[in-house]
Structure formats: structure tokens, C-alpha cells
Amino acid sequence: MFIGHFAVAFGAKRYAPRVSMALLTAAVAWADLLWTAFLPSGWEHVRISPGDTAFTPFDLYDYPWSHSLLMLVLWGVLLGAVYWWVQKDTTGAPVVGACVVSHWVLDWVTHRPDMPLYPGGRKFGLGLWNSIAGTMAVELTMYIAGVRIYATATRAKNPVGRYAFWAYVALLLFFYIGDRFSNTPNSVGEIAWTGLIATMVLLAWAWWFDRNREVAGTV
Ligand SMILES: [Zn+2]
């Protein structure tokens, strides 16, 4: 899953108004961030095999530390605790933790059974990725819902808050659709570096538009 994760970050803002979109996005993408770091380290592995499922050319056969449910619960507790330690935001901290764990749930829906319960444990997955139309229908619906929640829970303080936000929304959509027509990556290194750099840019961007918006308040 791709923009479905971002949808969760957008929607989470309503429940954690003090948490920056950059952190909410880092939380929902935490598993993939770790994955892009662990691949070059050799701690996790992926095979490029076009047709593995209809939607992705990746055979995700070994990612116990970034994508098992147990590890994501632990990562979620850790991230939530660090955030609480720094900000003392009791409302936001559990939401940050839940965002990290949400990654497993969404990937479980889309992946074929390659999502481990714990490192070395049984693997699960409903395999929505076997259908391109099904995957896109689910993710786009989630995305529209998430963006709507964020757009009503916050409001722009200035033009940056308005246009940088909508540009970000459009760019993610463009990436998502464009990915259907792009070439399969040539190497695991390419997957890792493009993923890592793209995520860093998106996090900085999210931080930028979010600080130029404010909580809409209860009307
Ligand atoms: Zn993932």
C-alpha cells in the first residue's frame, strides 16, 4: 500500500492536532523507512520479480524487523514514547504509536501472505494487490477521505498553507498513478535510495505546509 498510508496520516491529524504532519507521516511510513535502510544493510531482503502480484514487482520475502506486527508494535511504543518525552502531548503520543502499527494492518490487506506476526513467525496477507483495480479503488477512497478530514480539521494561515498543501496532495496522487507506468527498478539499491530520498522530501514538505496551517477549532 502507498497512498493509503498517507491517508491515515492525514486522518490522524484530527485526533492529534498538535502533532506535525511530518511526524504523523513518518509514523505511518516508519516500516517502509526502516525497510529502505535495512535493505542496503543486508538485514532484510527483497527480490525483484515482475508479476509477483499484479500491483507490484517485488517479492517481499524477508523483512522481519521493519514489517512484523510485533516489531511494529514495539516501534510504535518507542516512537510514541519519544514523542511524549519531548512534547508531553498525552493526546498525540498514542496516535503516533497507532499510526506506526496501522502500517501492518494496511499492508496485511494488500500484500499476499508475506507479513510476519513476529520475526520468523507465521505470515499473513489478504492479497488485494492481485487486483490493480481493487487496490486503486481502496487506496483512492481512503486517500480522498483522509485529505478531506485534514482539510476540514485544519485551515490555511497563509497562501503557503493552502497551495503547498494542495500541491502535496496532487503530487502524491501523481506518484501513485505514475508508478503504474514507470519502469521496474533495476536493483535493490535503487529501490532503497529512491524510496529514502522521496520520503525525506515528502516529510520536509509535510512539515512545511502543516506549520502554515492551524487547527480549525470546534465550530
Ligand atoms: Zn510497507
Side-chain angles (χ1 to χ4, degrees), residues 5 32 67 103 107:
H5 293 305
D32 289 346
H67 275 74
H103 194 102
D107 278 7

PDB file of all heavy atoms in Angstrom, residues 5 32 67 103 107, ligand 1:
ATOM      1  N   HIS A   5      -1.410   4.689   3.202  1.00  0.00           N
ATOM      2  CA  HIS A   5      -0.689   5.055   4.429  1.00  0.00           C
ATOM      3  C   HIS A   5      -0.767   6.569   4.669  1.00  0.00           C
ATOM      4  O   HIS A   5      -0.983   7.015   5.798  1.00  0.00           O
ATOM      5  CB  HIS A   5       0.780   4.642   4.323  1.00  0.00           C
ATOM      6  CG  HIS A   5       0.988   3.151   4.279  1.00  0.00           C
ATOM      7  ND1 HIS A   5       0.500   2.293   5.248  1.00  0.00           N
ATOM      8  CD2 HIS A   5       1.632   2.358   3.385  1.00  0.00           C
ATOM      9  CE1 HIS A   5       0.833   1.047   4.944  1.00  0.00           C
ATOM     10  NE2 HIS A   5       1.513   1.060   3.812  1.00  0.00           N
ATOM     11  N   ASP A  32       8.311   1.303   6.136  1.00  0.00           N
ATOM     12  CA  ASP A  32       8.984   1.397   4.836  1.00  0.00           C
ATOM     13  C   ASP A  32      10.296   2.175   4.931  1.00  0.00           C
ATOM     14  O   ASP A  32      11.252   1.892   4.211  1.00  0.00           O
ATOM     15  CB  ASP A  32       8.055   2.057   3.803  1.00  0.00           C
ATOM     16  CG  ASP A  32       6.893   1.130   3.418  1.00  0.00           C
ATOM     17  OD1 ASP A  32       6.963  -0.071   3.744  1.00  0.00           O
ATOM     18  OD2 ASP A  32       5.937   1.623   2.804  1.00  0.00           O
ATOM     19  N   HIS A  67       8.686  -5.027   9.216  1.00  0.00           N
ATOM     20  CA  HIS A  67       7.297  -5.283   8.838  1.00  0.00           C
ATOM     21  C   HIS A  67       6.574  -6.372   9.621  1.00  0.00           C
ATOM     22  O   HIS A  67       5.477  -6.760   9.235  1.00  0.00           O
ATOM     23  CB  HIS A  67       7.211  -5.606   7.333  1.00  0.00           C
ATOM     24  CG  HIS A  67       7.123  -4.380   6.459  1.00  0.00           C
ATOM     25  ND1 HIS A  67       8.200  -3.572   6.224  1.00  0.00           N
ATOM     26  CD2 HIS A  67       6.089  -3.815   5.790  1.00  0.00           C
ATOM     27  CE1 HIS A  67       7.833  -2.569   5.420  1.00  0.00           C
ATOM     28  NE2 HIS A  67       6.559  -2.700   5.148  1.00  0.00           N
ATOM     29  N   HIS A 103       0.440   0.612   9.757  1.00  0.00           N
ATOM     30  CA  HIS A 103       1.140   0.160   8.558  1.00  0.00           C
ATOM     31  C   HIS A 103       0.966  -1.345   8.346  1.00  0.00           C
ATOM     32  O   HIS A 103       0.758  -1.813   7.230  1.00  0.00           O
ATOM     33  CB  HIS A 103       2.633   0.502   8.645  1.00  0.00           C
ATOM     34  CG  HIS A 103       3.342   0.374   7.337  1.00  0.00           C
ATOM     35  ND1 HIS A 103       3.667   1.456   6.553  1.00  0.00           N
ATOM     36  CD2 HIS A 103       3.768  -0.712   6.650  1.00  0.00           C
ATOM     37  CE1 HIS A 103       4.260   1.039   5.443  1.00  0.00           C
ATOM     38  NE2 HIS A 103       4.339  -0.276   5.483  1.00  0.00           N
ATOM     39  N   ASP A 107      -0.849  -3.043   5.100  1.00  0.00           N
ATOM     40  CA  ASP A 107      -0.043  -3.940   4.263  1.00  0.00           C
ATOM     41  C   ASP A 107      -0.611  -5.358   4.280  1.00  0.00           C
ATOM     42  O   ASP A 107      -0.568  -6.073   3.282  1.00  0.00           O
ATOM     43  CB  ASP A 107       1.420  -3.948   4.727  1.00  0.00           C
ATOM     44  CG  ASP A 107       2.198  -2.757   4.172  1.00  0.00           C
ATOM     45  OD1 ASP A 107       1.571  -1.877   3.549  1.00  0.00           O
ATOM     46  OD2 ASP A 107       3.431  -2.705   4.364  1.00  0.00           O
TER      47      ASP A 107
HETATM   48 ZN    ZN B   1       5.208  -1.425   3.901  1.00  0.00          ZN
END
